[in-house]
């Protein structure tokens, strides 16, 4: 019955519709949450600038060659993000449940594919994986986060062959490459089509795929097209983050490239969608 209700809801509401949100029960708590969210926007931005123009230059002077610097700098970002998440948790903005923390830390040479319900997703995932590389939007390389992104991560505006070469070099160092196969944040209802980029990267680098599901409460206020001054109606953003069964790339090497990419993309979607249905009762 619940699955039928979810299916009916997903077909009657537009992807970014928020008319189904419950009313605000505690206006003071809601205003507090909105103000704290704005505070953390500023805190994150200032912290990124400090990392880019103060911390990383010092680490670059100390650690050589470039590969060693990048490993240390990525661990620094991961630790900084853990502090950021912990700070949000203390203030009551977020609560999280991550049963596989040790397994996240032990990941190596994987293409990590994740659903993308909110703007905090990459912060949570990098906080869990100290040796994480990431494919990021090219526009972010010209934002306040440029000092971090240009030194550590791979932008998707590069030529594909150049991007794959960088991915191979990164994975050869034992990093894990984080990719959001939808390409943008998941709408509140339904999902975006999964792009084949993550599958092509896995096939071209010969790396196994590690799906991750981010669930929990509704992420209204942190989603795409949400009002800037808005916040969770449940009082806090709850994040439940789960490692899902690994997808072995060898199973797809027997197919022609286009077919392999199509089937691998479908498998990624199937694994994450099954977790959404089983863990949160959502149809995606």
């Amino acid at each position: 019955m619940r699955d039928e209700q979810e299916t009916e809801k997903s077909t009657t509401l537009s992807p970014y519709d928020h008319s189904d949100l419950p009313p605000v029960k505690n206006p003071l708590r809601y205003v507090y949450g909105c103000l704290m969210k704005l505070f953390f926007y500023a805190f994150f931005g200032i912290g990124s600038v400090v990392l880019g123009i103060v911390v990383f230059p010092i680490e670059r002077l100390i650690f050589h060659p470039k590969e060693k610097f990048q490993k240390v700098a990525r661990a620094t970002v991961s630790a900084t993000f853990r502090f950021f998440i912990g700070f949000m948790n203390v203030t009551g903005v977020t609560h999280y449940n991550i049963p596989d923390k040790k397994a996240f830390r032990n990941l190596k040479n994987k293409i990590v594919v994740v659903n993308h319900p909110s703007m905090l997703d990459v912060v949570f995932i990098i906080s869990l994986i100290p040796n994480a590389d990431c494919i990021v939007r090219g526009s972010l390389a010209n934002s306040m986060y440029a000092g971090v992104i240009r030194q550590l991560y791979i932008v998707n505006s590069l030529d594909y062959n150049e991007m794959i070469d960088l991915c191979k070099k990164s994975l050869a160092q034992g990093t894990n490459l984080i990719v959001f196969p939808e390409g943008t944040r998941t709408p509140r209802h339904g999902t975006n089509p999964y792009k084949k980029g993550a599958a092509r990267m896995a096939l071209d680098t010969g790396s196994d795929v590690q799906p991750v599901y981010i669930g929990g409460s509704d992420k209204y206020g942190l989603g795409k097209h949400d009002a800037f001054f808005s916040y969770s109606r449940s009082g806090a953003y709850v994040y439940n983050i789960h490692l899902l069964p690994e997808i072995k790339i060898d199973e797809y090497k027997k197919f022609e490239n286009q077919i392999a990419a199509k089937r691998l993309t479908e498998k990624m979607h199937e694994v994450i969608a099954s977790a959404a249905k089983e863990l949160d009762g959502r149809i995606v």
Side-chain angles (χ1 to χ4, degrees), residues 2-268:
R2 183 175 181 179
D3 290 347
E4 293 175 358
Q5 291 173 343
E6 289 288 341
T7 303
E8 182 179 354
K9 181 172 71 173
S10 66
T11 57
T12 56
L13 294 174
S14 63
Y16 300 101
D17 195 332
H18 54 80
S19 61
D20 60 328
L21 288 169
V24 175
K25 293 183 179 180
N26 187 333
L28 290 177
R29 177 68 178 84
Y30 185 80
V31 171
Y32 166 80
C34 289
L35 292 174
M36 289 304 299
K37 189 183 81 168
L38 299 182
F39 165 78
F40 280 115
Y41 274 133
F43 186 82
F44 189 88
I46 293 170
S48 298
V49 172
V50 171
L51 281 175
I53 67 175
V54 178
V55 178
F56 289 169
I58 294 173
E59 291 183 339
R60 188 181 288 274
L61 288 173
I62 298 172
F63 298 100
H64 303 280
K66 180 181 178 181
E67 290 75 17
K68 187 174 183 180
F69 155 72
Q70 288 183 323
K71 182 177 181 179
V72 171
R74 287 179 182 130
T76 300
V77 172
S78 181
T80 303
F81 282 4
R82 285 196 296 277
F83 171 79
F84 183 79
I85 294 296
F87 191 6
M88 287 196 298
N89 193 61
V90 168
T91 60
V93 173
T94 62
H95 296 303
Y96 56 85
N97 174 43
I98 306 167
D100 305 307
K101 282 187 178 181
K102 185 176 181 180
F104 272 104
R105 291 196 297 271
N106 292 334
L107 289 177
K108 188 176 181 180
N109 309 109
K110 302 288 189 276
I111 303 291
V112 180
V113 295
V114 195
N115 63 312
H116 197 5
S118 80
M119 62 179 62
L120 284 177
D121 303 332
V122 69
V123 179
F124 269 98
I125 299 302
I126 291 179
S127 76
L128 292 167
I129 304 176
N131 56 337
D133 203 341
C134 191
I135 304 294
V136 298
R137 293 199 315 272
S139 60
L140 290 177
N142 298 313
S143 69
M144 71 173 68
Y145 312 120
V148 175
I149 290 169
R150 290 183 178 181
Q151 297 185 69
L152 297 185
Y153 303 121
I154 301 169
V155 295
N156 63 5
S157 56
L158 296 173
D159 173 77
Y160 181 76
N161 290 329
E162 182 181 0
M163 185 166 63
I164 284 298
D165 285 342
L166 291 174
C167 291
K168 287 179 179 178
K169 290 177 182 177
S170 181
L171 289 163
Q173 297 168 24
T175 65
N176 299 281
L177 192 61
I178 301 170
V179 185
F180 296 100
E182 292 175 76
T184 187
R185 275 170 281 171
T186 312
R188 293 191 65 248
H189 306 292
T191 186
N192 298 305
Y194 276 38
K195 298 180 180 181
K196 296 179 183 177
R200 290 178 64 195
M201 289 176 194
L203 290 163
D204 289 343
T205 62
S207 303
D208 294 330
V209 176
Q210 176 59 68
V212 175
Y213 174 64
I214 298 177
S217 66
D218 187 276
K219 305 299 188 293
Y220 179 67
L222 298 176
K224 193 170 183 179
H225 302 311
D226 292 347
F228 188 68
F229 196 77
S230 60
Y231 186 69
S232 170
R233 300 295 174 86
S234 64
Y237 293 107
V238 178
Y239 282 79
N240 298 326
I241 304 178
H242 300 269
L243 278 176
L244 304 178
E246 186 177 293
I247 303 171
K248 296 294 185 181
I249 197 66
D250 287 344
E251 299 176 16
Y252 297 87
K253 289 182 177 179
K254 60 185 177 183
F255 301 109
E256 187 270 331
N257 281 348
Q258 289 188 346
I259 295 175
K262 181 176 184 293
R263 294 191 178 184
L264 181 54
T265 302
E266 290 172 348
K267 183 63 175 179
M268 294 176 192

